[in-house]
Amino acid sequence: MTASIVQLQRQLRPIQRRLRLRDTLALAQRSAWLPGAAGVVIQAAGHLTPIPNLLLWTFAPLLVWIVALLGYLLIHRVTPAQAARRADLLLDLRERFSTALELGGKAELDEVEERQRADALDVAARVRPQQIGWNLDRRVIPQFIVPL
């Protein structure tokens, strides 16, 4: 691997972290209804039969859900190639990062490929992870709050 590809991968690391957070937030939004629904079921069962510490049992699914999300955040990995493709798509970079990573495997580059790689490194130096949004879906908030 050449030094320029190592530099590009180093500059992609903050983007990889941001994409991991974004993926975790997307999973949280898709599964936000689970702890609320489980809490409602536990409350309904508590009204039918006596359950000691009903309030604690009601919030147990929420705690399990949060721990599962934290586990997903720690375990889920975004490879440099995935980060490059997704950053190209989200930031409308016209496949600069992914092309530069693909060219990193070639031993000999012609002039055009060298300029492509240099352009990708230049753009990578200017791109900030904050430019990638969080992708919040406001329609999910009521699904989470209503059962509480």
Side-chain angles (χ1 to χ4, degrees):
M1 242 190 292
T2 64
S4 60
I5 295 304
V6 172
Q7 182 182 1
L8 179 62
Q9 288 179 343
R10 188 178 319 117
Q11 290 174 332
L12 280 174
R13 281 190 197 121
I15 293 173
Q16 287 174 287
R17 284 191 295 271
R18 181 68 169 220
L19 290 172
R20 248 179 41 207
L21 285 171
R22 183 182 164 106
D23 292 346
T24 304
L25 181 62
L27 177 65
Q29 289 179 25
R30 286 192 312 269
S31 64
W33 63 274
L34 285 170
V40 168
V41 168
I42 291 170
Q43 278 292 317
H47 285 288
L48 298 174
T49 62
I51 297 176
N53 301 321
L54 180 61
L55 189 61
L56 292 175
W57 283 107
T58 301
F59 286 107
L62 181 63
L63 181 64
V64 169
W65 179 71
I66 290 171
V67 169
L69 285 176
L70 290 174
Y72 180 80
L73 177 65
L74 294 174
I75 293 172
H76 177 69
R77 295 285 178 231
V78 177
T79 65
Q82 291 172 334
R85 283 192 302 270
R86 290 178 63 190
D88 286 340
L89 180 68
L90 291 170
L91 299 175
D92 195 28
L93 296 178
R94 299 188 186 115
E95 299 181 0
R96 283 185 170 113
F97 291 162
S98 54
T99 301
L101 282 177
E102 285 294 321
L103 293 175
K106 290 181 70 175
E108 303 253 345
L109 298 177
D110 62 10
E111 183 183 340
V112 173
E113 292 169 338
E114 274 297 328
R115 288 200 319 236
Q116 283 178 325
R117 184 185 291 174
D119 178 54
L121 288 172
D122 182 48
V123 170
R126 288 183 278 135
V127 168
R128 299 288 170 248
Q130 294 81 10
Q131 292 173 295
I132 297 175
W134 289 114
N135 194 21
L136 292 175
D137 187 6
R138 292 187 178 10
R139 296 174 297 169
V140 174
I141 294 171
Q143 293 175 359
F144 183 71
I145 292 176
V146 167
L148 295 177

